[in-house]
Amino acid sequence: MSHQGYEEELRSERSYVAGLYTRIDAERARVKGKYGAALRGNGGTPMERDVEVRALAAEMKRLDVADNGLCFGRLDSLSGEHSYIGRIGLFDEKNEFEPLLLDWRAPAARAFYVATAASPEDTWRRRQFHTRGRRVLDFTDEVLGRPDGGERGDAALIAAVNAPRGDGMRDIVATIQAEQDQIIRLDHSGVLVIEGGPGTGKTVVALHRVAFLLYTQRERMERHGVLVVGPNPAFLDHIGRVLPSLGETNVVFMTTGDLVPGLRVTAEDTPEAARLKGSLKILDVLAAAVADCQRLPEDPLPIELSDVTVRIDAGTAEWARDEARGSGLPHNEARAVFRDIVTWALTERAIARIGRGWLTRDDLEAWEQLREDLLEELADHDMFTAALDEFWPILTPEGLLAQLYTSPERLVAAGAAPALWRADGDAWTVSDVPLLDELVDLLGRDKPVDQTAERESKDEAEYAAGVLDLMISREDLMDDEDHLLAQDMLYAEDLADRFRGRDTRELAERAAADRDWTYRHVVVDEAQELSEMDWRVLMRRCPGRSFTVVGDLAQRRSVAGATSWEAMMEPYVPGRWVYRSLSVNYRTPAEIMTVAAALLAEFAPGITPPESVRACGVRPWSRRVDEDEVDSAIGEFVRDEAGREGTSIVIGPPGVPGTVVASETKGLEFDAVLVVEPERILADGPRGAAELYVALTRATQRLGVLHQGPLPQALIGLAEIGTPAQAGDQRSA
């Protein structure tokens, strides 16, 4: 294309994209008008208006986020048609079947991501726009189906990966690569495991897959939402803007420590304790701990009633315990069975003693009256209630687990290892979360609390029914048909709902606060760190077993984490999980990946490192310092990077001031990284090599290493420098 031809095309494209923005502005104004009308309550029932308000609010958000980078490309088919590709779909105002802009998730847009010179997908040209705000700055073309394919089709990709990093992860909607697109659009209803080394884009691919699923299965998925589980709050904050930027907001972000609402994680387990708690064998310990609380009296316990004293002996309690356990009910709910058996035994004995000589079973009326009197007395009998609390107490997950951890005797009784003992029972760790969640099902609800809630609900309904009766009784002037209409249209339960108030929270807020909420799809990132017990919790949260699982076994640090995907997945979804891998590193430049790959070869020789898509031209460097020079060297790095565009971080072993540990940077990326004392990171536990591997692969441009002792063998290829100024000047040959 000549220069003049290019300029003419550019003007044409600018005009078309400007027209798209005119269309989206008109659509935004239309939706805003409908939203205002819905808020004013014009027509429909309150429930219908509430549904409409929520739907219109979601539509306004979708239109707002699409404003940035609305249209990013064009496909030209062999038949001469043009298809513009963008963040959302837009249709002609006069002809709703005429697409002006294809949503990137639409089947017709797929060729934009997968077409190649060898397989053009019935297209002959792919055009990519470079935009700023609402203006098209320029474009690049790739001619498909012939060897001289024009300019490189990865120009937009290279520009994106070379750009300085900001505060959070960006979407890749304009630069999705073919291997990524195949995973995003994969038609699989079970568990999809995506494995890839550092920088392969597995996280952002998983998030775009969520957006794709919400687009293709919106009605099924939107009401229950999607759960995204990440390793730490910093990671969740880093990725939190991707889905909203794609117009999707019904998503809940959590760490595994957040899966029990209201629980605060304040402590960290020893590796051995984490291993024990993460194994499914801990289920036997929990069951035994619950059973240990279902006790028998050592000596008969007297219960003094008005006319007689009866005793709860070991035989009666054992019979009641066996019946309660055999009921299959959770512990707290089975207490009613235990109570009923004990109560029946005590009343039978009391009746026999009180009625000795004058009362027989043939006198059913007198027998039953006496039983009712005894039952009423036992119901309010403090000693009897105390006995129930001793032999079959109402338990809470937190209370039971805290008592177990702080009692060597209880640990022995439950068959638990001494490594689980700790002085502060309720100093909760991440590994405690799945145990507490399991105990919710083992124990059941706190029945007295539930019964109180049921009574309150019943009282509200009865009150509302009374109001309804009063309203109807006053309608003396209405005819019979009107009476029927009033009764049919206004039920007591509906009126009670009005007294209780409507839950106006967004889906994400409601789901995060509800332990029993179930999701239609779950994304698990850094999944190699999750234990068997963690997976048990997550499977409970998604009965349909629809998951996107993201991880890298080479980066596993947790001793309770995955050693193979099959071992973790097969017990829950046998035959319903598939594996896909990503092999191209879009984040880490070749110069840095060469260093990281040498370390990977030492601790995981069977794993092939991802291939970097680019080089940055800057060699990674190392600098040897004395102990008293560490702080000043870190300060020099920080000051130097403060004058550059982009982000930076200092990663070190635990306890080094001014650094973060590698585990807190998982999934994150920075323009520049300084790794402090790699020899200490390497020596920090059995997975120290994985930690160092994570630290080395966070950088997108520049990597430096400070060390006091000799460099680890894998890092000897770093360029040794003497001053920070020399580090800034390092260039690859």
Side-chain angles (χ1 to χ4, degrees), residues 312-619:
I312 304 176
D313 56 39
T316 299
E318 185 175 16
W319 172 33
R321 185 181 67 178
D322 291 344
E323 290 293 328
R325 288 177 175 176
S327 70
L329 295 170
H331 169 88
N332 288 335
E333 296 173 28
R335 173 183 163 112
V337 178
F338 181 86
R339 180 197 61 218
D340 290 347
I341 297 294
V342 173
T343 300
W344 185 89
L346 294 184
T347 55
E348 281 292 302
R349 293 171 188 170
I351 293 171
R353 293 182 185 179
I354 294 172
R356 183 176 296 151
W358 63 271
L359 181 64
T360 68
R361 288 187 181 273
D362 293 334
D363 192 354
L364 292 179
E365 185 175 349
W367 191 285
E368 290 304 322
Q369 182 59 54
L370 185 52
R371 183 188 298 280
E372 285 185 19
D373 294 341
L374 289 168
L375 288 173
E376 186 175 344
E377 186 175 0
L378 281 173
D380 295 324
H381 199 288
D382 291 341
M383 185 173 292
F384 180 65
T385 301
L388 290 177
D389 291 340
E390 180 181 352
F391 302 143
W392 199 283
I394 288 180
L395 301 173
T396 65
E398 293 85 354
L400 176 66
L401 208 55
Q403 288 180 354
L404 177 67
Y405 289 152
T406 56
S407 171
E409 294 79 13
R410 287 179 181 269
L411 287 171
V412 170
L420 293 183
W421 181 90
R422 68 187 186 211
D424 189 352
D426 54 6
W428 304 117
T429 70
V430 170
S431 301
D432 290 327
V433 171
L435 278 61
L436 291 166
D437 191 74
E438 187 73 31
L439 285 169
V440 171
D441 286 348
L442 283 177
L443 300 179
R445 304 301 180 182
D446 185 333
K447 291 300 288 183
V449 173
D450 283 359
Q451 289 166 355
T452 298
E454 290 171 6
R455 283 196 301 271
E456 290 174 351
S457 178
K458 182 179 179 181
D459 291 344
E460 289 169 343
E462 289 176 351
Y463 174 72
V467 174
L468 180 59
D469 290 341
L470 181 61
M471 291 169 57
I472 294 175
S473 67
R474 287 185 174 182
E475 296 172 346
D476 297 330
L477 299 179
M478 297 175 62
D479 58 28
D480 290 342
E481 184 177 348
D482 288 332
H483 275 284
L484 181 61
L485 181 63
Q487 289 173 315
D488 284 348
M489 296 299 291
L490 185 60
Y491 293 97
E493 291 83 356
D494 296 332
L495 193 58
D497 284 340
R498 299 185 189 181
F499 287 107
R500 283 192 287 268
R502 190 184 300 274
D503 190 346
T504 59
R505 295 174 298 172
E506 294 294 329
L507 180 144
E509 187 179 359
R510 287 183 283 127
D514 186 354
R515 181 263 175 186
D516 295 321
W517 190 280
T518 56
Y519 300 88
R520 285 292 183 264
H521 191 76
V522 176
V523 175
V524 186
D525 210 318
E526 299 295 340
Q528 73 278 355
E529 305 298 340
L530 271 61
S531 69
E532 292 176 320
M533 287 297 293
D534 289 326
W535 282 111
R536 189 172 170 88
V537 177
L538 291 175
M539 293 294 172
R540 197 178 286 131
R541 298 295 191 273
C542 187
R545 302 293 196 263
S546 178
F547 282 75
T548 299
V549 176
V550 179
D552 179 11
L553 295 180
Q555 295 186 57
R556 177 180 65 86
R557 177 173 176 78
S558 171
V559 294
T563 55
S564 81
W565 299 118
E566 182 178 13
M568 285 297 187
M569 297 297 113
E570 197 64 23
Y572 297 107
V573 282
R576 283 194 59 218
W577 69 280
V578 297
Y579 174 88
R580 295 292 184 272
S581 63
L582 292 168
S583 58
V584 179
N585 189 330
Y586 301 100
R587 175 178 68 217
T588 316
E591 295 90 342
I592 295 176
M593 199 60 216
T594 299
V595 177
L599 175 64
L600 182 67
E602 286 192 0
F603 78 92
I607 296 179
T608 302
E611 182 179 354
S612 296
V613 75
R614 68 189 173 98
C616 66
V618 180
R619 289 189 62 186

